[in-house]
Amino acid sequence: MFSRRKLLQTSLFYSLLPQNILQAKVTEKFHNPFQVPPLATAERKGRDLYFNLRVQSGKSAILPNVLTPTLGINLPFLGETIRANRGDRVHIKVKNSLNETTTLHWHGMKLPAKMDGGPHQPILPDAEWTSEFDIIQNAATLWYHSHQMHQTGKQVYHGLAGMFIIDDDESQNLDLPNDYGVDDFPVIIQDRDFNQDGSFRYVTSMHDLMMGKAGNTALVNGVNKPVLKTTKALIRLRVLNGSNARIYNLAFHDFRHFHIIASDGGLLEKPFRTKSFTLAPAERVEILVDLSDGEMPILTHITPSNSGSEEGMMGQMMDRLMGVEEAVNRFDIFQIDASEVTSSKVNIPDNLVTFEPLPDAVVHKRVFKLEMDMMSAMMKGSPQGQLTINGSSMDINHINETIQAGSTEIWVLENHSMMAHPFHIHDVQFRIIKRESEKFGEQNISAQEAGYKDIVLVNPNERVEVLMTFPEFRDSETPYMYHCHILEHEDAGMMGQFVTV
Ligand code: C2O
Ligand code: CU
Ligand code: CU
């Protein structure tokens, strides 16, 4: 039997949606030009690639008639896109021109712990930090963002995030759109709330802290209601959920099919044809969208029409789905205008890459229990320390796990709380090998989740097993992080540290 909650998590949910629900409410017009973050310029000397980044504050025209104070990297808001090839050695000099301490973390990257840009590599105001590492992994859409202790949520919310694209020969030789800003686009989705004066409204309540900060205005690459005009019949979207906490259920309003070609860590073995996908905070997918019909599809997040308790709202939604009036709300993200597409030639490769066989010599299995003590948090008036992994919350002076570099491990992620947590591990790309819960038993791993990942959504009462080989970097002093990527949870301590030795 499918429960309502379970149903919402599956694509069956979408197949039950009558098409006219999605088409029903074409809300406000999309009128702002789609912005493509510029590529960060780099100086190349052989395989060495030198970048200069400046973390800065600025003012951005996001809403009409007001300016929003924002943060960015080489830009007033958000960051330039960093692009490098497998085999390159990057040297990224980061200058902090804010009057607060920050860090820049390369999310999804395999690299020495000292170069990771986590809480152990703070960059003080006016200081500089250089991160240098070899790109040893395959083509993928990664990203970078602030990881400052207790400030990650706030700094990312204000704009300290950007995309980091890795290319390799294998992906370049495939017949995929790869002309940046022409047929290959970053799509950084974020939700924000604003004050009257145009400033961002960050956490204002206990609810924001416990559930994570969600906003009622969708931005793509920092722009509200953008429309992407293209003349290309096939485009590639590198979709990043750069939101602090919101989990998106994304589909096009006309319910068209598209192909998912990549997950967090790179290309899938084959394109996967679908109409929708779920994207938790920090997750990425790359999709190919066929626009040869010349239409104007809107990417939309489908939300239950009523808030309240989770079962309650899903209950209402399901009741309505079973026949009564409009069941869901649309939270529209952006529109594509393909009215000037002339060609109808669209080629989707049958095969992309071949994965390495799963390593079988597992030396260690570790269990991570995710818990939230709502009662204590309420009584204390703060969730600090009440969001835990294996009973403890982040202590920067304590290393939680010691791992043998080069070894293969299974991490068992158990969610003992009432809400879903997107669990992220630094320095690795893992494979999901099992997803199960008492209620529903073992579930199939979806095609979207079958590839390399650095983040996985663990639903309430679920148990997810991930398998990975830790790269050969040894440093007994500098740890990497693992944590919930709802940034308010991370800041409240739902994070731990490991070293590889
Ligand atoms: Cu997106 Cu600890 O990082
Ligand atoms: Cu990370
Ligand atoms: Cu969480």
Side-chain angles (χ1 to χ4, degrees), residues 377-500:
M378 290 307 204
M379 289 177 41
K380 273 185 55 187
S382 157
Q384 200 67 45
Q386 312 306 320
L387 290 152
T388 54
I389 301 175
N390 288 341
S392 57
S393 86
M394 170 72 179
D395 173 355
I396 198 153
N397 297 312
H398 178 71
I399 308 285
N400 302 84
E401 311 288 334
T402 299
I403 290 159
Q404 201 187 312
S407 71
T408 298
E409 299 206 348
I410 291 174
W411 284 20
V412 183
L413 315 171
E414 292 184 4
N415 186 344
H416 295 269
S417 79
M418 305 270 289
M419 62 180 289
H421 301 280
F423 193 90
H424 169 51
I425 311 171
H426 287 209
D427 188 42
V428 293
Q429 290 293 334
F430 54 71
R431 301 280 302 279
I432 301 171
I433 54 170
K434 193 185 246 182
R435 184 186 278 283
E436 62 181 3
S437 68
E438 239 164 69
K439 229 163 152 186
F440 311 116
E442 189 170 340
Q443 295 157 249
N444 292 331
I445 309 299
S446 73
Q448 182 194 340
E449 289 197 317
Y452 289 96
K453 305 266 305 153
D454 52 53
I455 184 140
V456 59
L457 188 64
V458 188
N459 292 298
N461 304 311
E462 255 181 1
R463 195 166 170 276
V464 176
E465 296 192 7
V466 301
L467 178 142
M468 69 229 129
T469 301
F470 289 84
E472 298 270 357
F473 300 117
R474 293 182 170 77
D475 185 338
S476 56
E477 247 120 70
T478 317
Y480 300 97
M481 306 293 125
Y482 54 85
H483 57 92
C484 173
H485 221 290
I486 292 176
L487 298 181
E488 290 68 34
H489 289 182
E490 175 193 325
D491 283 338
M494 201 174 225
M495 176 155 73
Q497 316 194 80
F498 68 96
V499 288
T500 55

Side-chain angles (χ1 to χ4, degrees), residues 30-70:
F30 288 80
H31 47 79
N32 290 315
F34 186 92
Q35 299 281 351
V36 178
L39 291 172
T41 53
E43 198 190 329
R44 182 177 282 284
K45 293 182 190 147
R47 71 176 196 103
D48 289 280
L49 207 49
Y50 297 84
F51 291 92
N52 274 301
L53 303 184
R54 173 185 292 268
V55 182
Q56 58 192 22
S57 57
K59 288 211 175 0
S60 306
I62 302 171
L63 300 179
N65 309 318
V66 282
L67 287 176
T68 304
T70 48

